[in-house]
Amino acid sequence: MIIKKFEAETETEAMLLVKKELGKDAIVLNMKTIRPRGIYRFWRKKMVEITAAVDDNVSKDKAEGQTIDSGLRKADNLQPASNTKRFMDFLESEDRLGTLSTGTSENAIEKKLNNLQELLEQQIKEKPEIKNADNKAEEKQDACIELIQEQLINNEVDQVFVKQIMDEISKSIKKDSSVDSVLSSVYQKIILKLGQPKFIELEEGKRKCVFFIGPTGVGKTTTIAKIASNLKLKQKAKVSLITSDTYRIAAVEQLRTYANILGIPLSVVYTKEELEAEKKKYEDYDILLIDTAGRSHKNNEQQEDMKQLIDTIPEDEREVFLVLSATTKYKDLIKITERYSEITDYSLIFTKLDETSSLGNILNVKLLTKAPLSYTTWGQNVPDDISNIDAQSIAKKLLGGND
Ligand SMILES: Nc1nc2c(ncn2[C@@H]2O[C@H](COP(=O)(O)OP(=O)(O)OP(=O)(O)O)[C@@H](O)[C@H]2O)c(=O)[nH]1
Ligand SMILES: [Mg+2]
């Protein structure tokens, strides 16, 4: 894993630097505003600092120009080092260089993980094998790894993935690595594994058709209403709603209510021909959001209908979001995602985060399907209870933190 900090005047500029140097697969670990300090602070602008990371093998293939690996060493005179060491050294080197760091770095990753670290240290101290051990440092590290594993399993991360994460970080931690560096390594690894998210982005001159598919009752229609509101009210987009859910009597009315409130058109389509006609009708719109009926992944005929409907829109004009509830059992999620993968590629939306305290399924399904994560929802309120996936918050919760 390669980690580096980037500073720029705006978030967009900082992200461009990240993409340029680390490639498009880089993941944001942390973002904060840095306020200038010292006597020059009144003349200096606030800067945005992004800490980003990328897996070594990815960066070599994808980054433009020099790899970050060589860049890092050149910049900081570092020898090739373990991930954690490189990260810690990098943070230190920045302070040494006296950049615009806040010094106390209130939002730094380590700070965010502080509570967790204290909790871990406390639990480690209570372990009888630590109290009596001769070689405390090693025993302490083993206990720390064990507790982290337990925490991930408690949060229902699949054992296979827990092992994978721990195996990968074990290569980078040394015998005498402290609790906080082990914790940081796992945290960063999880964020990398949650991957590059994919959101709905409007493109000038390109109308998008976005399908929302998934099992019954997961929150497809409610999520569409939330997304439509945000697109219309915040991004001033020209949005049209289409529903092909003609199976449930109340389904059309549910969406019509939202369409009326938002003042956007709603069409009902029964066949793929009708969908094609609606597509033409809304040629000058920015985006068509298409609701579908909840389907049982076990019903082959329904799955075939769904495939035909989606295939009405050519691949380069459509986006598909598979909506899943975070409360569904992982065993069922495996079957559901497999069936939908046979129909189409998709990005993942997780709903009902408010109804579960274990977020392991988000990581499990991401690693299983390799599909990008996108939005999460945590309540019934339209348009509020939705946001872009927050990998940092999920990683922290998986490790036992609150937020
Ligand atoms: N707690 C909670 N409830 C939600 C969330 N999203 C949706 N719901 C509720 O879940 C129920 C089903 O939501 P819908 O949007 O109708 O689900 P759907 O997937 O469209 O259902 P079908 O069209 O019948 O397949 C409703 O009561 C929603 O208010 C969420 O994030 N958290
Ligand atoms: Mg619905």
Side-chain angles (χ1 to χ4, degrees):
M1 192 191 331
I2 291 161
I3 298 168
K4 196 177 178 191
K5 291 192 173 194
F6 297 84
E7 269 179 30
E9 284 184 13
T10 65
E11 187 183 321
T12 315
E13 284 171 26
M15 278 312 293
L16 283 174
L17 293 177
V18 171
K19 295 260 145 79
K20 186 155 187 275
E21 190 149 346
L22 296 187
K24 68 178 176 52
D25 292 301
I27 309 293
V28 174
L29 295 178
N30 198 42
M31 191 174 319
K32 68 179 180 189
T33 306
I34 319 176
R35 289 164 208 285
R37 309 191 106 208
I39 55 164
Y40 296 115
R41 67 185 178 278
F42 301 111
W43 293 280
R44 283 187 180 158
K45 283 186 184 159
K46 281 188 217 157
M47 301 288 276
V48 174
E49 180 199 270
I50 292 182
T51 309
V54 70
D55 260 336
D56 303 58
N57 46 357
V58 172
S59 79
K60 273 172 204 134
D61 297 342
K62 309 261 172 74
E64 295 168 21
Q66 69 167 6
T67 64
I68 177 62
D69 205 15
S70 61
L72 232 186
R73 258 178 261 145
K74 211 188 282 172
D76 301 312
N77 277 333
L78 293 178
Q79 292 303 308
S82 74
N83 301 337
T84 314
K85 167 111 178 24
R86 195 179 293 171
F87 178 54
M88 293 302 170
D89 285 357
F90 184 74
L91 294 179
E92 272 171 30
S93 73
E94 190 200 39
D95 285 343
R96 210 174 44 234
L97 292 171
T99 59
L100 297 176
S101 152
T102 56
T104 51
S105 29
E106 269 165 16
N107 291 323
I109 297 165
E110 324 87 271
K111 265 278 187 305
K112 282 189 180 178
L113 293 174
N114 256 358
N115 297 345
L116 275 179
Q117 190 192 324
E118 279 162 22
L119 207 76
L120 267 179
E121 300 262 17
Q122 189 55 39
Q123 287 173 327
I124 291 168
K125 261 192 231 146
E126 284 161 15
K127 290 219 161 214
E129 59 268 34
I130 300 291
K131 284 186 188 144
N132 311 322
D134 295 332
N135 190 348
K136 287 220 163 117
E138 253 175 71
E139 296 284 341
K140 203 172 159 189
Q141 194 184 87
D142 287 351
C144 169
I145 289 174
E146 203 178 296
L147 282 168
I148 290 176
Q149 285 186 157
E150 264 171 35
Q151 195 59 254
L152 293 174
I153 289 168
N154 276 344
N155 275 310
E156 294 179 22
V157 178
D158 191 59
Q159 305 243 11
V160 174
F161 300 132
V162 173
K163 184 169 180 316
Q164 200 183 83
I165 290 168
M166 300 320 281
D167 281 352
E168 287 178 24
I169 68 131
S170 69
K171 288 175 201 148
S172 65
I173 50 177
K174 290 192 192 139
K175 277 186 183 167
D176 57 353
S177 290
S178 60
V179 168
D180 73 322
S181 67
V182 175
L183 193 60
S184 294
S185 292
V186 183
Y187 173 80
Q188 290 152 23
K189 191 50 104 183
I190 294 173
I191 291 178
L192 275 179
K193 295 226 172 260
L194 289 169
Q196 188 71 39
K198 188 173 171 201
F199 307 113
I200 296 174
E201 276 168 29
L202 300 174
E203 284 173 52
E204 187 95 30
K206 189 174 177 205
R207 198 262 324 268
K208 287 198 168 163
C209 298
V210 185
F211 288 88
F212 294 80
I213 60 174
T216 47
V218 289
K220 295 179 292 301
T221 307
T222 313
T223 304
I224 290 177
K226 291 171 183 173
I227 290 177
S229 312
N230 283 307
L231 284 168
K232 162 104 200 245
L233 305 175
K234 292 198 182 139
Q235 299 194 43
K236 312 281 177 238
K238 228 169 154 191
V239 186
S240 172
L241 297 178
I242 295 179
T243 180
S244 65
D245 185 357
T246 51
Y247 291 80
R248 250 184 345 107
I249 297 168
V252 175
E253 284 322 303
Q254 185 188 1
L255 202 56
R256 196 183 304 284
T257 310
Y258 292 123
N260 287 345
I261 295 168
L262 289 168
I264 56 185
L266 167 74
S267 317
V268 184
V269 297
Y270 289 84
T271 60
K272 58 188 178 84
E273 289 75 19
E274 285 178 353
L275 178 59
E276 253 160 28
E278 291 304 313
K279 192 187 133 192
K280 285 209 183 80
K281 187 165 134 196
Y282 293 108
E283 208 107 80
D284 62 330
Y285 273 60
D286 296 314
I287 190 157
L288 308 186
L289 302 178
I290 306 163
D291 196 6
T292 62
R295 298 296 205 205
S296 160
H297 61 284
K298 293 184 177 165
N299 186 320
N300 290 340
E301 201 184 321
Q302 287 183 346
Q303 293 285 310
E304 188 46 42
D305 287 352
M306 178 74 73
K307 180 166 171 45
Q308 285 194 9
L309 193 77
I310 292 173
D311 285 344
T312 309
I313 312 286
E315 261 180 59
D316 62 335
E317 290 176 38
R318 75 180 188 222
E319 276 178 31
V320 181
F321 288 89
L322 175 60
V323 185
L324 298 170
S325 165
T327 62
T328 306
K329 289 203 293 283
Y330 182 47
K331 212 169 145 192
D332 294 329
L333 287 172
I334 295 175
K335 296 254 160 51
I336 293 166
T337 50
E338 268 171 9
R339 285 311 304 274
Y340 281 100
S341 296
E342 289 164 16
I343 300 181
T344 175
D345 287 341
Y346 49 74
S347 304
L348 296 161
I349 293 179
F350 275 93
T351 60
K352 310 200 182 184
L353 265 64
D354 54 312
E355 290 189 357
T356 178
S357 50
S358 315
L359 298 186
N361 276 340
I362 299 182
L363 183 61
N364 294 338
V365 174
K366 160 70 204 170
L367 293 176
L368 179 78
T369 61
K370 306 200 169 50
L373 293 163
S374 60
Y375 305 97
T376 52
T377 78
W378 58 84
Q380 297 176 295
N381 296 321
V382 178
D384 294 330
D385 298 340
I386 187 167
S387 74
N388 291 356
I389 188 126
D390 181 348
Q392 294 161 33
S393 153
I394 291 171
K396 200 174 165 201
K397 283 181 187 153
L398 290 178
L399 288 166
N402 295 323
D403 211 348

